[in-house]
Amino acid sequence: MPGTTSTSISRAGSLLHRRIFADRAKFRSVYDNRSTSDYRQSRPREPLGASTMPLAMNRDVFITCAVTGSGDTTGKSPHVPITPAQIAASAIDAAKAGAAVVHCHVRNPETGAPSRRTDLYRELTDRIRSADVDVVLNLTAGMGGDLVFGDVEAPVPFNPDCTDMAGATERVEPIAACLPEICTLDCGTMNFSLGDYVMTNTPSMLRAMARKMTALGVRPEIEAFDTGHLWFAKQLVAEGLIEDPVMVQLCMGVPWGAPDDLNTFMAMVNNVPSNWTFSAFSIGRNAMAYPAAAALAGGNVRVGLEDNLYIARGQLATNAQLVEKAATVVTAMGARLLSPAEVREKLKLIKR
């Protein structure tokens, strides 16, 4: 600057430094003498909902037990039930352990292979309904969409021993015969596990099945294995084919759907409309971590031998033991377990 000497600059700098240190000392004196509440009150308030990911834990949780499934697990654990009597007994034990809902498949009593036989579903339903414990019955309608291609060089004809494709009426026949409170609706098509198996559920098929389930007064439980399944589920709701209250099961970690890492899980959760009721599970080694994850994310819990055979490393479990462990986890977190009656009220289910 014109007319400015080095001496004047030095003096000005010294004066500025003294003022800065004096202001710092004054600030520290005021800050150290005020209370924590004063500090909190002085902070600018964030607008309501400004947090990008608030903790919205569900404190009123229901547990679903997936009793047997249709996987090749009967030779891996003696606890996997096969006959209608065994499946019903295991479901009843799970209900006594704290499950409000039991989700059931049936198997061929002689071979243990998955089955769609209506007489087996009727026997299972009668046994559960005549039990001395109340439980919400959820039957699968997922059978009849199994497409297994031939060799990679000759994908057609399809593998006749493993392919099981049926029409919408046939797939829903056990539901119409038994009228459970809930039945599942696998809401999409995906490459499933190993080999050349494709779980096949076309949009037309899903629309027809959803329409039939709703007409029967049975609540569809949407099973979503990836975000695209949730997208189409929203379309079914928008078309009036699935009515409120909507319930969805987030199926995590099933090859080759959505993996079960927490980032992907929260992506699934964030695609569930806020007025839907959701549950979540994972399979295998992460299955027993998911009760905590599901409740923390605002959802409900599913465990059972359909998804996981072990309660600890190397220790085979029963359905009742898996439910007991999930119940312990959830209640230790401060949540309350809903009863079957409370689940019926929440989801507007028809008890039969």
Side-chain angles (χ1 to χ4, degrees):
M1 295 174 63
T4 302
T5 66
S6 60
T7 302
S8 64
I9 292 173
S10 177
R11 287 174 180 172
S14 297
L15 179 61
L16 178 60
H17 277 254
R18 286 197 296 271
R19 286 178 177 173
I20 290 172
F21 285 125
D23 288 344
R24 283 179 177 173
K26 182 178 178 182
F27 172 78
R28 285 180 180 142
S29 176
V30 172
Y31 181 82
D32 291 342
N33 286 311
R34 68 179 179 170
S35 66
T36 303
S37 61
D38 292 334
Y39 170 70
R40 286 175 177 166
Q41 290 171 6
S42 69
R43 293 174 64 194
R45 291 181 178 271
E46 290 185 349
L48 189 64
S51 176
T52 56
M53 191 174 289
L55 180 62
M57 176 179 162
N58 182 12
R59 298 189 181 275
D60 295 294
V61 173
F62 64 84
I63 297 176
T64 297
C65 179
V67 179
T68 189
S70 59
D72 183 20
T73 55
T74 56
K76 298 175 182 178
S77 170
H79 304 303
V80 176
I82 297 174
T83 68
Q86 292 170 347
I87 298 168
S90 192
I92 292 164
D93 287 344
K96 291 178 179 178
V101 182
V102 289
H103 168 60
C104 298
H105 293 238
V106 294
R107 294 177 179 269
N108 183 308
E110 286 75 38
T111 66
S115 176
R116 290 189 284 108
R117 282 172 45 187
T118 299
D119 62 313
L120 298 177
Y121 278 105
R122 281 203 186 99
E123 181 183 348
L124 171 66
T125 298
D126 290 344
R127 288 178 178 276
I128 291 175
R129 286 179 174 161
S130 63
D132 59 352
V133 62
D134 187 25
V135 69
V136 174
L137 181 59
N138 175 343
L139 296 182
T140 185
M143 306 299 296
D146 302 325
L147 181 61
V148 181
F149 286 85
D151 184 81
V152 294
E153 300 298 340
V156 291
F158 304 127
N159 186 321
D161 297 325
C162 304
T163 295
D164 177 31
M165 296 294 291
T169 299
E170 188 175 352
R171 292 180 71 174
V172 178
E173 181 182 337
I175 308 305
C178 300
L179 295 177
E181 288 112 315
I182 302 169
C183 68
T184 56
L185 183 67
D186 297 336
C187 216
T189 295
M190 63 176 274
N191 292 332
F192 203 97
S193 192
L194 303 175
D196 300 300
Y197 168 37
V198 178
M199 181 180 76
T200 308
N201 298 287
T202 66
S204 295
M205 176 68 74
L206 290 170
R207 284 187 171 97
M209 291 177 67
R211 186 178 292 110
K212 291 176 183 295
M213 293 168 183
T214 298
L216 289 169
V218 177
R219 178 75 59 204
E221 180 189 56
I222 298 159
E223 288 203 339
F225 295 79
D226 216 333
T227 51
H229 298 180
L230 289 171
W231 187 9
F232 188 68
K234 294 173 190 176
Q235 182 63 31
L236 293 177
V237 173
E239 293 175 13
L241 298 175
I242 297 178
E243 299 175 344
D244 289 331
V246 181
M247 64 181 303
V248 59
Q249 185 73 246
L250 303 181
C251 310
M252 307 299 299
V254 179
W256 299 104
D260 62 4
D261 64 276
L262 290 179
N263 283 332
T264 304
F265 176 50
M266 289 311 302
M268 293 281 282
V269 170
N270 290 332
N271 273 282
V272 175
S274 59
N275 61 330
W276 291 15
T277 296
F278 80 89
S279 299
F281 72 92
S282 182
I283 63 172
R285 63 184 297 181
N286 291 332
M288 297 316 295
Y290 252 72
L296 280 172
N300 300 283
V301 170
R302 168 171 148 170
V303 292
L305 295 177
E306 177 175 350
D307 309 324
N308 164 51
L309 301 179
Y310 295 90
I311 195 165
R313 186 177 180 86
Q315 184 179 347
L316 292 170
T318 65
N319 278 307
Q321 288 172 331
L322 295 174
V323 171
E324 287 170 357
K325 187 166 184 178
T328 298
V329 169
V330 169
T331 54
M333 292 167 60
R336 181 180 69 91
L337 296 183
L338 295 184
S339 69
E342 290 173 312
V343 173
R344 290 189 186 97
E345 181 178 2
K346 177 182 179 68
L347 297 175
K348 298 181 180 178
L349 305 176
I350 301 173
K351 182 178 181 180
R352 297 182 171 93

